[in-house]
Structures are given as C-alpha cells and as structure tokens.
mmCIF file of all heavy atoms in Angstrom:
data_model
loop_
_atom_site.group_PDB
_atom_site.id
_atom_site.type_symbol
_atom_site.label_atom_id
_atom_site.label_comp_id
_atom_site.label_asym_id
_atom_site.label_seq_id
_atom_site.Cartn_x
_atom_site.Cartn_y
_atom_site.Cartn_z
ATOM 1 N N ASP A 29 0.860 -1.173 0.000
ATOM 2 C CA ASP A 29 0.000 0.000 0.000
ATOM 3 C C ASP A 29 0.900 1.228 0.000
ATOM 4 O O ASP A 29 1.971 1.229 0.622
ATOM 5 C CB ASP A 29 -0.874 0.027 1.249
ATOM 6 C CG ASP A 29 -1.689 -1.237 1.420
ATOM 7 O OD1 ASP A 29 -1.114 -2.267 1.824
ATOM 8 O OD2 ASP A 29 -2.894 -1.188 1.173
ATOM 9 N N LEU A 30 0.449 2.264 -0.664
ATOM 10 C CA LEU A 30 1.167 3.533 -0.645
ATOM 11 C C LEU A 30 0.293 4.595 0.005
ATOM 12 O O LEU A 30 -0.946 4.535 -0.078
ATOM 13 C CB LEU A 30 1.541 3.969 -2.068
ATOM 14 C CG LEU A 30 2.560 3.102 -2.807
ATOM 15 C CD1 LEU A 30 2.803 3.663 -4.205
ATOM 16 C CD2 LEU A 30 3.870 3.015 -2.042
ATOM 17 N N PRO A 31 0.908 5.593 0.630
ATOM 18 C CA PRO A 31 0.113 6.652 1.249
ATOM 19 C C PRO A 31 -0.518 7.569 0.214
ATOM 20 O O PRO A 31 0.109 7.905 -0.798
ATOM 21 C CB PRO A 31 1.149 7.409 2.094
ATOM 22 C CG PRO A 31 2.454 7.162 1.409
ATOM 23 C CD PRO A 31 2.353 5.782 0.842
ATOM 24 N N ILE A 32 -1.765 7.940 0.450
ATOM 25 C CA ILE A 32 -2.431 8.954 -0.367
ATOM 26 C C ILE A 32 -3.128 9.928 0.582
ATOM 27 O O ILE A 32 -3.361 9.611 1.754
ATOM 28 C CB ILE A 32 -3.456 8.345 -1.346
ATOM 29 C CG1 ILE A 32 -4.658 7.762 -0.585
ATOM 30 C CG2 ILE A 32 -2.818 7.287 -2.238
ATOM 31 C CD1 ILE A 32 -5.847 7.435 -1.479
ATOM 32 N N ILE A 33 -3.432 11.093 0.069
ATOM 33 C CA ILE A 33 -4.166 12.087 0.849
ATOM 34 C C ILE A 33 -5.641 11.961 0.522
ATOM 35 O O ILE A 33 -6.052 12.038 -0.644
ATOM 36 C CB ILE A 33 -3.675 13.515 0.530
ATOM 37 C CG1 ILE A 33 -2.181 13.646 0.838
ATOM 38 C CG2 ILE A 33 -4.489 14.537 1.327
ATOM 39 C CD1 ILE A 33 -1.814 13.391 2.283
ATOM 40 N N GLU A 34 -6.443 11.733 1.556
ATOM 41 C CA GLU A 34 -7.888 11.628 1.383
ATOM 42 C C GLU A 34 -8.537 12.618 2.347
ATOM 43 O O GLU A 34 -8.525 12.414 3.563
ATOM 44 C CB GLU A 34 -8.350 10.199 1.677
ATOM 45 C CG GLU A 34 -9.779 9.916 1.254
ATOM 46 C CD GLU A 34 -10.137 8.449 1.399
ATOM 47 O OE1 GLU A 34 -10.511 8.051 2.529
ATOM 48 O OE2 GLU A 34 -10.012 7.713 0.417
ATOM 49 N N GLY A 35 -9.061 13.687 1.767
ATOM 50 C CA GLY A 35 -9.552 14.763 2.624
ATOM 51 C C GLY A 35 -8.381 15.420 3.327
ATOM 52 O O GLY A 35 -7.435 15.883 2.691
ATOM 53 N N ASP A 36 -8.407 15.436 4.667
ATOM 54 C CA ASP A 36 -7.301 16.020 5.427
ATOM 55 C C ASP A 36 -6.474 14.935 6.121
ATOM 56 O O ASP A 36 -5.708 15.218 7.041
ATOM 57 C CB ASP A 36 -7.817 17.029 6.456
ATOM 58 C CG ASP A 36 -8.822 16.403 7.428
ATOM 59 O OD1 ASP A 36 -9.165 15.213 7.242
ATOM 60 O OD2 ASP A 36 -9.255 17.107 8.359
ATOM 61 N N LYS A 37 -6.639 13.670 5.668
ATOM 62 C CA LYS A 37 -5.931 12.565 6.309
ATOM 63 C C LYS A 37 -5.034 11.843 5.314
ATOM 64 O O LYS A 37 -5.253 11.875 4.105
ATOM 65 C CB LYS A 37 -6.936 11.555 6.889
ATOM 66 C CG LYS A 37 -7.829 12.099 7.998
ATOM 67 C CD LYS A 37 -8.679 10.992 8.591
ATOM 68 C CE LYS A 37 -9.603 10.386 7.554
ATOM 69 N NZ LYS A 37 -10.506 9.350 8.154
ATOM 70 N N LYS A 38 -4.038 11.155 5.856
ATOM 71 C CA LYS A 38 -3.198 10.264 5.060
ATOM 72 C C LYS A 38 -3.686 8.838 5.286
ATOM 73 O O LYS A 38 -3.766 8.376 6.427
ATOM 74 C CB LYS A 38 -1.730 10.399 5.459
ATOM 75 C CG LYS A 38 -0.784 9.533 4.613
ATOM 76 C CD LYS A 38 0.630 9.543 5.175
ATOM 77 C CE LYS A 38 1.294 10.896 5.012
ATOM 78 N NZ LYS A 38 2.743 10.829 5.418
ATOM 79 N N VAL A 39 -4.039 8.155 4.189
ATOM 80 C CA VAL A 39 -4.486 6.772 4.276
ATOM 81 C C VAL A 39 -3.632 5.940 3.308
ATOM 82 O O VAL A 39 -2.874 6.480 2.506
ATOM 83 C CB VAL A 39 -5.985 6.627 3.923
ATOM 84 C CG1 VAL A 39 -6.846 7.389 4.921
ATOM 85 C CG2 VAL A 39 -6.269 7.100 2.500
ATOM 86 N N TYR A 40 -3.761 4.631 3.403
ATOM 87 C CA TYR A 40 -2.947 3.745 2.566
ATOM 88 C C TYR A 40 -3.844 2.927 1.645
ATOM 89 O O TYR A 40 -4.880 2.409 2.067
ATOM 90 C CB TYR A 40 -2.083 2.831 3.435
ATOM 91 C CG TYR A 40 -0.940 3.569 4.079
ATOM 92 C CD1 TYR A 40 -1.146 4.350 5.214
ATOM 93 C CD2 TYR A 40 0.333 3.530 3.521
ATOM 94 C CE1 TYR A 40 -0.106 5.062 5.787
ATOM 95 C CE2 TYR A 40 1.381 4.234 4.095
ATOM 96 C CZ TYR A 40 1.158 4.996 5.223
ATOM 97 O OH TYR A 40 2.199 5.704 5.771
ATOM 98 N N ARG A 41 -3.431 2.857 0.374
ATOM 99 C CA ARG A 41 -4.188 2.124 -0.633
ATOM 100 C C ARG A 41 -3.248 1.295 -1.512
ATOM 101 O O ARG A 41 -2.089 1.655 -1.705
ATOM 102 C CB ARG A 41 -4.982 3.096 -1.524
ATOM 103 C CG ARG A 41 -6.026 3.932 -0.793
ATOM 104 C CD ARG A 41 -7.235 3.094 -0.398
ATOM 105 N NE ARG A 41 -8.262 3.905 0.239
ATOM 106 C CZ ARG A 41 -8.406 4.037 1.552
ATOM 107 N NH1 ARG A 41 -7.575 3.404 2.388
ATOM 108 N NH2 ARG A 41 -9.373 4.796 2.050
ATOM 109 N N LYS A 42 -3.770 0.201 -2.075
ATOM 110 C CA LYS A 42 -2.995 -0.623 -2.992
ATOM 111 C C LYS A 42 -2.597 0.195 -4.226
ATOM 112 O O LYS A 42 -3.389 1.006 -4.718
ATOM 113 C CB LYS A 42 -3.801 -1.843 -3.447
ATOM 114 C CG LYS A 42 -4.150 -2.817 -2.333
ATOM 115 C CD LYS A 42 -2.899 -3.481 -1.771
ATOM 116 C CE LYS A 42 -3.251 -4.490 -0.687
ATOM 117 N NZ LYS A 42 -2.056 -4.976 0.022
ATOM 118 N N ALA A 43 -1.371 -0.061 -4.717
ATOM 119 C CA ALA A 43 -0.891 0.692 -5.885
ATOM 120 C C ALA A 43 -0.016 -0.208 -6.753
ATOM 121 O O ALA A 43 0.729 -1.058 -6.251
ATOM 122 C CB ALA A 43 -0.094 1.915 -5.435
ATOM 123 N N ASP A 44 -0.126 -0.024 -8.066
ATOM 124 C CA ASP A 44 0.763 -0.732 -8.980
ATOM 125 C C ASP A 44 1.636 0.289 -9.702
ATOM 126 O O ASP A 44 1.625 1.482 -9.376
ATOM 127 C CB ASP A 44 -0.030 -1.610 -9.956
ATOM 128 C CG ASP A 44 -0.701 -0.837 -11.091
ATOM 129 O OD1 ASP A 44 -0.740 0.420 -11.043
ATOM 130 O OD2 ASP A 44 -1.199 -1.476 -12.037
ATOM 131 N N LEU A 45 2.400 -0.171 -10.669
ATOM 132 C CA LEU A 45 3.261 0.699 -11.465
ATOM 133 C C LEU A 45 3.195 0.249 -12.908
ATOM 134 O O LEU A 45 3.410 -0.935 -13.207
ATOM 135 C CB LEU A 45 4.718 0.629 -10.989
ATOM 136 C CG LEU A 45 5.743 1.352 -11.878
ATOM 137 C CD1 LEU A 45 5.528 2.860 -11.846
ATOM 138 C CD2 LEU A 45 7.165 0.995 -11.450
ATOM 139 N N ARG A 46 2.856 1.171 -13.814
ATOM 140 C CA ARG A 46 3.009 0.893 -15.238
ATOM 141 C C ARG A 46 4.305 1.547 -15.690
ATOM 142 O O ARG A 46 4.450 2.773 -15.672
ATOM 143 C CB ARG A 46 1.835 1.406 -16.064
ATOM 144 C CG ARG A 46 2.078 1.261 -17.576
ATOM 145 C CD ARG A 46 0.840 1.414 -18.411
ATOM 146 N NE ARG A 46 -0.063 0.277 -18.216
ATOM 147 C CZ ARG A 46 -1.202 0.109 -18.905
ATOM 148 N NH1 ARG A 46 -1.553 1.000 -19.823
ATOM 149 N NH2 ARG A 46 -1.963 -0.941 -18.670
ATOM 150 N N ALA A 47 5.264 0.706 -16.067
ATOM 151 C CA ALA A 47 6.546 1.181 -16.585
ATOM 152 C C ALA A 47 6.479 1.200 -18.109
ATOM 153 O O ALA A 47 5.807 0.359 -18.726
ATOM 154 C CB ALA A 47 7.676 0.263 -16.119
ATOM 155 N N TYR A 48 7.196 2.138 -18.716
ATOM 156 C CA TYR A 48 7.159 2.303 -20.163
ATOM 157 C C TYR A 48 8.536 2.001 -20.751
ATOM 158 O O TYR A 48 9.548 2.546 -20.303
ATOM 159 C CB TYR A 48 6.713 3.718 -20.537
ATOM 160 C CG TYR A 48 5.293 3.986 -20.092
ATOM 161 C CD1 TYR A 48 5.023 4.478 -18.811
ATOM 162 C CD2 TYR A 48 4.216 3.705 -20.917
ATOM 163 C CE1 TYR A 48 3.726 4.686 -18.378
ATOM 164 C CE2 TYR A 48 2.908 3.912 -20.500
ATOM 165 C CZ TYR A 48 2.670 4.404 -19.233
ATOM 166 O OH TYR A 48 1.379 4.603 -18.812
ATOM 167 N N VAL A 49 8.520 1.130 -21.761
ATOM 168 C CA VAL A 49 9.744 0.711 -22.425
ATOM 169 C C VAL A 49 9.598 1.061 -23.901
ATOM 170 O O VAL A 49 8.639 0.634 -24.552
ATOM 171 C CB VAL A 49 9.980 -0.800 -22.260
ATOM 172 C CG1 VAL A 49 11.328 -1.202 -22.845
ATOM 173 C CG2 VAL A 49 9.902 -1.195 -20.776
ATOM 174 N N VAL A 50 10.527 1.849 -24.423
ATOM 175 C CA VAL A 50 10.431 2.351 -25.799
ATOM 176 C C VAL A 50 11.569 1.759 -26.620
ATOM 177 O O VAL A 50 12.738 1.881 -26.253
ATOM 178 C CB VAL A 50 10.472 3.894 -25.832
ATOM 179 C CG1 VAL A 50 10.291 4.392 -27.266
ATOM 180 C CG2 VAL A 50 9.385 4.473 -24.927
ATOM 181 N N THR A 51 11.206 1.132 -27.735
ATOM 182 C CA THR A 51 12.180 0.444 -28.576
ATOM 183 C C THR A 51 12.274 1.128 -29.934
ATOM 184 O O THR A 51 11.248 1.388 -30.580
ATOM 185 C CB THR A 51 11.786 -1.032 -28.771
ATOM 186 O OG1 THR A 51 11.725 -1.669 -27.484
ATOM 187 C CG2 THR A 51 12.794 -1.767 -29.639
ATOM 188 N N SER A 52 13.489 1.406 -30.360
ATOM 189 C CA SER A 52 13.749 1.922 -31.703
ATOM 190 C C SER A 52 14.362 0.809 -32.528
ATOM 191 O O SER A 52 14.497 -0.329 -32.065
ATOM 192 C CB SER A 52 14.694 3.128 -31.631
ATOM 193 O OG SER A 52 16.008 2.702 -31.290
ATOM 194 N N ALA A 53 14.763 1.124 -33.738
ATOM 195 C CA ALA A 53 15.381 0.119 -34.605
ATOM 196 C C ALA A 53 16.749 -0.318 -34.092
ATOM 197 O O ALA A 53 17.271 -1.344 -34.518
ATOM 198 C CB ALA A 53 15.502 0.655 -36.026
ATOM 199 N N THR A 54 17.318 0.451 -33.147
ATOM 200 C CA THR A 54 18.682 0.146 -32.692
ATOM 201 C C THR A 54 18.792 -0.178 -31.211
ATOM 202 O O THR A 54 19.765 -0.805 -30.791
ATOM 203 C CB THR A 54 19.625 1.327 -32.998
ATOM 204 O OG1 THR A 54 19.116 2.517 -32.356
ATOM 205 C CG2 THR A 54 19.732 1.562 -34.496
ATOM 206 N N GLU A 55 17.816 0.237 -30.381
ATOM 207 C CA GLU A 55 17.971 0.008 -28.945
ATOM 208 C C GLU A 55 16.635 0.048 -28.215
ATOM 209 O O GLU A 55 15.639 0.545 -28.731
ATOM 210 C CB GLU A 55 18.925 1.042 -28.335
ATOM 211 C CG GLU A 55 18.473 2.476 -28.499
ATOM 212 C CD GLU A 55 19.492 3.478 -27.988
ATOM 213 O OE1 GLU A 55 20.355 3.107 -27.175
ATOM 214 O OE2 GLU A 55 19.424 4.640 -28.415
ATOM 215 N N THR A 56 16.654 -0.507 -27.005
ATOM 216 C CA THR A 56 15.493 -0.504 -26.123
ATOM 217 C C THR A 56 15.834 0.314 -24.885
ATOM 218 O O THR A 56 16.853 0.077 -24.249
ATOM 219 C CB THR A 56 15.116 -1.942 -25.719
ATOM 220 O OG1 THR A 56 14.709 -2.655 -26.888
ATOM 221 C CG2 THR A 56 13.981 -1.960 -24.704
ATOM 222 N N LYS A 57 14.953 1.275 -24.552
ATOM 223 C CA LYS A 57 15.193 2.142 -23.404
ATOM 224 C C LYS A 57 13.986 2.135 -22.468
ATOM 225 O O LYS A 57 12.833 2.114 -22.920
ATOM 226 C CB LYS A 57 15.476 3.580 -23.856
ATOM 227 C CG LYS A 57 16.801 3.759 -24.580
ATOM 228 C CD LYS A 57 17.074 5.230 -24.852
ATOM 229 C CE LYS A 57 18.447 5.440 -25.478
ATOM 230 N NZ LYS A 57 18.731 6.868 -25.725
ATOM 231 N N VAL A 58 14.273 2.176 -21.179
ATOM 232 C CA VAL A 58 13.233 2.246 -20.160
ATOM 233 C C VAL A 58 13.115 3.696 -19.700
ATOM 234 O O VAL A 58 14.114 4.335 -19.347
ATOM 235 C CB VAL A 58 13.566 1.334 -18.968
ATOM 236 C CG1 VAL A 58 12.485 1.432 -17.894
ATOM 237 C CG2 VAL A 58 13.727 -0.114 -19.432
ATOM 238 N N TRP A 59 11.903 4.216 -19.735
ATOM 239 C CA TRP A 59 11.669 5.594 -19.294
ATOM 240 C C TRP A 59 11.859 5.687 -17.788
ATOM 241 O O TRP A 59 11.324 4.872 -17.038
ATOM 242 C CB TRP A 59 10.257 6.006 -19.671
ATOM 243 C CG TRP A 59 9.897 7.433 -19.395
ATOM 244 C CD1 TRP A 59 10.700 8.521 -19.496
ATOM 245 C CD2 TRP A 59 8.614 7.919 -18.982
ATOM 246 N NE1 TRP A 59 10.003 9.661 -19.174
ATOM 247 C CE2 TRP A 59 8.725 9.314 -18.862
ATOM 248 C CE3 TRP A 59 7.390 7.313 -18.721
ATOM 249 C CZ2 TRP A 59 7.652 10.119 -18.476
ATOM 250 C CZ3 TRP A 59 6.323 8.103 -18.347
ATOM 251 C CH2 TRP A 59 6.449 9.493 -18.228
#
C-alpha cells in the first residue's frame, strides 16, 4: 500500500506501477 491524501488525512491504498519501455530500430530504453 502507498500513502495517499484523502480529505485532510493520510491513508494507505494498494498501488501498482506501469513502466514504459520504448524500442527503436537500434535500442530498447526504459523511461
């Protein structure tokens, strides 16, 4: 869980991560 602000309080909620990987004709790079 990561902290988020809800109203005037800090609460914890489940969170994921979308990572972006960009590939050209010569290489693959992670943003």
Side-chain angles (χ1 to χ4, degrees):
D29 305 76
L30 293 179
I32 68 167
I33 301 300
E34 192 173 84
D36 57 356
K37 297 186 298 184
K38 183 188 291 187
V39 297
Y40 287 79
R41 298 287 183 264
K42 296 294 182 190
D44 77 349
L45 172 67
R46 173 165 291 185
Y48 296 88
V49 185
V50 183
T51 301
S52 72
T54 58
E55 60 185 339
T56 296
K57 291 186 176 181
V58 179
W59 185 36

